[in-house]
Amino acid sequence: MERMGQFNRRRGLRREVLGRLYDSWFDLAGEPIILTGDEINGETERKLAYRYLAEKGLLRMSPLGNGTFEVTITVQGIDRIEMTTGENE
């Protein structure tokens, strides 16, 4: 049962990250957001969420230097959010 709880928390964290990027895409007219390395790598689960989403092609991260990253959702990420909105919510 604990494994199912971990699964749901991890999936929720990935949805949260992707949802934030989805919202910022429209709020910032397609401009990427700038995140610090601490925001991305601060906790292991969050770091793994960003890595997973990047490897799936749902977000793009580019280092800017000084420990900051330019992060944006991809068109595949937008499609994923729009196809799954309302599921399990």
Side-chain angles (χ1 to χ4, degrees), residues 12-28 31-36 38-41 46 50 53 58-59 69 71-73 77-78 81:
L13 179 58
R14 291 191 301 268
R15 284 183 180 175
E16 174 192 318
V17 167
L18 203 56
R20 176 182 178 197
L21 294 172
Y22 177 86
D23 291 341
S24 73
W25 172 263
F26 292 99
D27 293 344
L28 301 175
E31 293 296 318
I33 60 173
I34 307 301
L35 298 176
T36 66
D38 288 342
E39 289 175 284
I40 295 170
N41 297 317
R46 184 164 297 278
Y50 276 95
L53 293 168
L58 302 177
L59 67 80
F69 293 84
V71 184
T72 188
I73 193 169
I78 291 170
I81 287 287

Side-chain angles (χ1 to χ4, degrees), residues 1-14 45:
M1 190 58 108
E2 175 59 30
R3 180 168 292 195
M4 196 60 154
Q6 285 179 330
F7 169 78
N8 288 329
R9 282 190 300 278
R10 289 173 177 153
R11 186 170 59 178
L13 179 58
R14 291 191 301 268
E45 294 291 339

